[in-house]
Amino acid sequence: MNEVRVKTPAKINLTLNINGVSGGKHLIDSVVTSIDLFDVINVKKRKDGLVGCVMHGMNSESIPFKSNNAVKAAEMFVEKIGVCGVDITVWKNIPVGAGLGGSSADAAGVLNALTRLFDADREDVYEIADKAGSDVRYMMDGGYARIKGYGEKVEPIDSRMKLYFTLIVPQSGVSTGECYSRYDDNPDGRRTNSDRAQKALEDGDFEKLSKSIYNALYAPARLINPDVEQALYEAYSFDPPAAAMTGSGGAVYAAFDNDSMSKWMQSRYRGKFFAFTAKTYIPKIRQEK
């Protein structure tokens, strides 16, 4: 086998709270889910020990090679596992800088593909994931989960609840670093509601879940980018059971327990931003565990 192709899903934060800072890194407590929006990644062996990467779509062609998380993950894999180099091709469908985990999804997808290509030990690859980014370990497996610490503590959540989303994505994004910095200037002090959200998912209680959805980074994100506030206002105008920003922005979503309502909202959206529907997705690797 000389090459492997995988698809790697985006994620949505159903809750996101900040529990302080340790070692210069923010400690998070977040309930997350994968959605059926995918980047496609192909990895192919090369013999010189180097890593090459070509990006397609979503303006990803402009991502600097050295700051590309897919490249960083591959370089760490080649060094740690001691294998020949690889060429990476990424076809992006996940918007860049939207809080949907596109960069982490690409790193996770590369690591999953390389694990298969070289039959590597998955526990060794998880160690690489922890160094590659805060969401990467989670996104290697995906599904419903609760993430704590720097993102290295991942607790899968056993739930069969199906959620449906209408996402509204401003063209302009939000700098994650600036968003956290603004949060530090004015932390919200709200106690985490991830316990309630996790229990709601486990019990299949959509009403309880909808009341638990929350993102502590929304307040600073809307100050950085007013389009985020406008997008959330537009989402709430459809009176969904719940709406929030995902990650550090700038995408927002409305959450429903049926696809007819999410499709209805998307069909009637007349704002200036990009809008589309998605639903929860359980990757095969999670189904097999």
Side-chain angles (χ1 to χ4, degrees):
M1 183 165 55
N2 287 317
E3 61 185 299
V4 169
R5 181 170 298 193
V6 300
K7 62 180 185 179
T8 183
K11 59 83 181 170
I12 279 178
N13 297 84
L14 298 172
T15 68
L16 178 54
N17 288 92
I18 313 300
N19 292 338
V21 178
S22 177
K25 296 182 179 180
H26 289 85
L27 303 174
I28 64 171
D29 188 355
S30 180
V31 173
V32 290
T33 181
S34 303
I35 58 173
D36 62 343
L37 173 66
F38 307 97
D39 285 354
V40 178
I41 295 173
N42 193 86
V43 297
K44 184 177 181 179
K45 292 178 181 178
R46 56 188 287 173
K47 298 179 179 179
D48 57 7
L50 301 177
V51 172
C53 184
V54 177
M55 308 290 292
H56 300 283
M58 293 290 171
N59 296 316
S60 60
E61 297 87 352
S62 63
I63 298 174
F65 182 84
K66 287 297 184 181
S67 59
N68 188 324
N69 273 10
V71 173
K72 292 179 180 179
E75 289 177 339
M76 285 189 282
F77 183 97
V78 169
E79 180 178 359
K80 181 177 178 65
I81 307 301
V83 298
C84 63
V86 292
D87 281 318
I88 305 165
T89 305
V90 179
W91 292 270
K92 285 201 69 65
N93 297 294
I94 304 171
V96 175
L100 293 166
S103 178
S104 295
D106 293 344
V110 164
L111 292 177
N112 277 332
L114 292 176
T115 300
R116 286 173 52 190
L117 186 62
F118 294 102
D119 193 26
D121 183 276
R122 198 160 182 83
E123 291 303 319
D124 289 338
V125 182
Y126 282 141
E127 293 179 11
I128 299 172
D130 289 339
K131 297 177 181 178
S134 61
D135 293 335
V136 179
R137 175 187 279 255
Y138 156 69
M139 298 192 78
M140 284 185 65
D141 294 346
Y144 285 119
R146 186 167 177 180
I147 303 174
K148 295 181 180 181
Y150 310 129
E152 83 286 1
K153 299 176 182 177
V154 181
E155 177 186 351
I157 297 175
D158 185 12
S159 176
R160 296 296 177 265
M161 185 185 294
K162 293 183 178 180
L163 301 176
Y164 303 87
F165 306 96
T166 304
L167 291 103
I168 301 175
V169 186
Q171 186 174 2
S172 53
V174 177
S175 164
T176 299
E178 185 179 359
C179 193
Y180 275 101
S181 179
R182 289 281 191 102
Y183 176 86
D184 290 339
D185 292 339
N186 188 25
D188 68 351
R190 178 167 173 167
R191 293 178 63 83
T192 180
N193 52 345
S194 295
D195 286 335
R196 297 195 305 273
Q198 179 175 350
K199 185 68 163 54
L201 284 172
E202 292 169 342
D203 293 345
D205 189 335
F206 176 74
E207 182 178 359
K208 183 177 179 180
L209 175 66
S210 65
K211 294 177 180 178
S212 303
I213 287 174
Y214 175 72
N215 188 329
L217 292 179
Y218 168 69
R222 71 183 180 88
L223 295 177
I224 296 169
N225 184 357
D227 282 351
V228 175
E229 184 173 23
Q230 177 64 26
L232 189 60
Y233 172 80
E234 293 175 350
Y236 272 124
S237 72
F238 289 89
D239 196 27
M245 183 183 77
T246 181
S248 58
V252 306
Y253 62 88
F256 302 93
D257 61 353
N258 64 85
D259 65 344
S260 61
M261 288 303 298
S262 64
K263 291 176 179 177
W264 170 83
M265 176 178 164
Q266 192 273 336
S267 70
R268 284 161 176 75
Y269 176 72
R270 297 293 183 268
K272 65 179 181 178
F273 305 128
F274 175 50
F276 64 97
T277 60
K279 60 181 180 293
T280 47
Y281 171 76
I282 307 300
K284 184 177 180 181
I285 193 166
R286 271 287 299 273
Q287 298 175 28
E288 293 173 345
K289 286 191 171 184

